Amino acid sequence: MPPNAGPPVHLPKVSDRDGLRVLHLVSSLETGGMEHFVARIAQWQREQGLDARVLACRGGALQPVLDASGVPLTVLGSGRWRRMSDLVAAAGRFRPDVFHAHNQPALPYALLGRLLSVPRSARTVLTFHGQGAHGVRSLRSWERVLTDHVVAVSDGARDRLAAGKLLADAEFAARVSVISNGVRPAPLAGPASEVRSARRREWGLEDRVVGVIVARVDGRKGHDTLLHACARLRDLPFTLLVVGDGIARPELETLAQQLELGTDRVRFLGARNDVPDILAAADLFVLPSLSEGMPLSVLEAMAAGLAVVATRVGGLPELIPDAKHGSLVSVGDSNALADAMRELIRDEAKRASVGAAARARVEQHFSFDAMGNAYTRLYRRLLAGHEAGLPAYSH
């Protein structure tokens, strides 16, 4: 128990179906790890009996996924005043107990919704998923005062908050905890062995080692470093599948051409809705990001039994603490990345061993249920008026 935990607080069971109302706020529904997280936790919470809904400042490719999941969704209109009007109307109709913002851009909307709506007992939670396109935005003084609790998705993400001097205020720092991301494997289109064989046959890659990266192509996931690493692996029967889309894709495809990486070496698959099947058909996973919080893509790859090569940033050392569970390299080091990939490409037994250890680690320490229950306990504790010694799930 943390030293400041104080006396135990008796809270209702997490599984009580009491209709706790949670509104998740996110800046957009573009495809990305944070956005998928919001969709999945809202769906999971509804399965547990909570009334969870999503409010997005802008729509995006993930909107049909949310619609299909049955999670009620509100997308705000364009323009500042229209957004404010839509926000107040949505909050007034739903009357959330908890406004749960995801990353700093969504926080002002959560706080405004809370201030202008009822019940007055509502609480505001901010989950910090990691560094965005413009770095870690410092919270304004009024945001710090009105935010009841901040959750970092990994120790590494919390360190990013500290580096941004968000934790310099001791009183505010006491309202920050870590709840590590969790994952539950998505179902495949059929038995894993059949899916694997069918996909590899479809791609004409039956006799090759297949690597995959699943990430938004936005310049922050190290795709360029990865292509330079692939150029050093021409002597091996290896093909990389690039899953994801984004503004930097044309530039990346040009780089592949300049490096003379044909479709036998690199294939751009774009955004996909069959990622579990692609992982089942792959042999290893790579994510050389510049920064991360706790990447769901790596959690999913490890849960699928894939050996992972990634950069030593954010929460990745917490997922991959040693060579038994995967390989970590420095940001931007294409030579070290190629060497780590080469070792796994050449050694099938090592790929299997590392992949099995990775799967076991995720199953034991990064359960989606444990993560979801930790958030529910947090909501209940805040609503009960307790703050010190919050019970949090962490690895």
Side-chain angles (χ1 to χ4, degrees):
M1 179 178 291
N4 64 339
V9 178
H10 299 290
L11 303 173
K13 293 187 298 183
V14 168
S15 60
D16 284 350
R17 293 181 173 268
D18 58 3
L20 181 69
R21 298 182 300 276
V22 182
L23 183 62
H24 293 276
L25 296 97
V26 64
S27 56
S28 82
L29 294 176
E30 295 300 332
T31 302
M34 178 185 68
E35 294 81 3
H36 276 287
F37 175 93
V38 172
R40 291 171 190 176
I41 195 169
Q43 183 178 8
W44 181 91
Q45 287 173 342
R46 293 184 69 82
E47 293 169 0
Q48 304 305 307
L50 282 68
D51 188 353
R53 307 185 183 193
V54 173
L55 184 147
C57 298
R58 300 185 304 279
L62 199 60
Q63 188 166 341
V65 176
L66 266 170
D67 291 339
S69 72
V71 175
L73 168 66
T74 297
V75 178
L76 301 182
S78 59
R80 176 180 298 179
W81 295 113
R82 173 65 184 277
R83 282 186 180 180
M84 294 300 104
S85 174
D86 288 351
L87 169 68
V88 172
R93 288 192 303 269
F94 183 38
R95 296 166 59 90
D97 298 300
V98 177
F99 289 83
H100 189 158
H102 296 269
N103 272 358
Q104 288 93 320
L107 182 59
Y109 294 91
L111 295 174
L112 181 61
R114 174 188 170 184
L115 288 172
L116 298 180
S117 68
V118 290
R120 293 299 181 187
S121 59
R123 295 290 181 261
T124 305
V125 174
L126 168 66
T127 291
F128 176 63
H129 293 267
Q131 186 173 358
H134 305 293
V136 179
R137 178 176 75 76
S138 179
L139 299 187
R140 304 174 184 94
S141 59
W142 67 273
E143 291 175 326
R144 290 197 299 273
V145 169
L146 295 175
T147 301
D148 295 289
H149 200 79
V150 178
V151 174
V153 299
S154 66
D155 290 336
R158 192 183 191 283
D159 291 343
R160 289 294 306 167
L161 289 174
K165 299 184 179 179
L166 287 178
L167 307 186
D169 181 344
E171 191 278 332
F172 180 75
R175 288 182 274 133
V176 178
S177 65
V178 173
I179 299 179
S180 298
N181 279 349
V183 67
R184 54 178 175 176
L188 301 177
S193 59
E194 294 180 12
V195 169
R196 177 179 174 82
S197 297
R199 285 304 177 91
R200 294 172 73 89
R201 188 167 53 251
E202 171 191 341
W203 296 328
L205 300 176
E206 298 99 317
D207 300 323
R208 296 181 72 81
V209 177
V210 177
V212 62
I213 176 173
V214 180
R216 186 180 292 171
V217 188
D218 58 6
R220 303 197 301 271
K221 300 298 182 178
H223 285 88
D224 54 345
T225 301
L226 179 53
L227 291 190
H228 282 286
C230 288
R232 292 171 51 86
L233 301 172
R234 288 193 182 91
D235 58 311
L236 299 177
F238 174 73
T239 299
L240 173 71
L241 305 178
V242 179
V243 178
D245 215 336
I247 58 173
R249 180 174 172 179
E251 179 182 342
L252 196 67
E253 290 177 329
T254 298
L255 177 60
Q257 294 173 359
Q258 293 172 347
L259 294 173
E260 299 180 352
L261 296 171
T263 56
D264 61 325
R265 296 292 172 185
V266 176
R267 298 190 188 180
F268 294 88
L269 302 187
R272 304 285 293 232
N273 58 9
D274 57 349
V275 170
D277 291 359
I278 294 174
L279 295 178
D283 298 297
L284 61 96
F285 187 91
V286 191
L287 188 70
S289 297
L290 281 65
S291 66
E292 284 291 349
M294 176 68 79
L296 294 180
S297 61
V298 171
L299 278 166
E300 290 169 350
M302 293 173 70
L306 288 179
V308 174
V309 181
T311 38
R312 194 176 290 102
V313 294
L316 282 163
E318 299 157 51
L319 284 175
I320 304 173
D322 51 45
K324 174 184 176 182
H325 297 93
S327 301
L328 295 178
V329 300
S330 299
V331 171
D333 191 339
S334 61
N335 292 337
L337 183 63
D339 290 342
M341 293 168 63
R342 179 182 295 275
E343 185 174 3
L344 289 171
I345 293 168
R346 284 178 166 175
D347 193 337
E348 181 178 359
K350 181 168 184 177
R351 290 200 306 270
S353 173
V354 171
R359 176 189 283 128
R361 178 163 176 76
V362 168
E363 291 173 350
Q364 293 168 13
H365 300 287
F366 298 94
S367 154
F368 196 98
D369 287 344
M371 177 203 73
N373 287 335
Y375 273 107
T376 306
R377 288 194 297 271
L378 169 60
Y379 299 156
R380 293 186 190 282
R381 191 171 187 110
L382 290 173
L383 290 167
H386 300 284
E387 178 54 64
L390 288 165
Y393 160 70
S394 184
H395 59 90

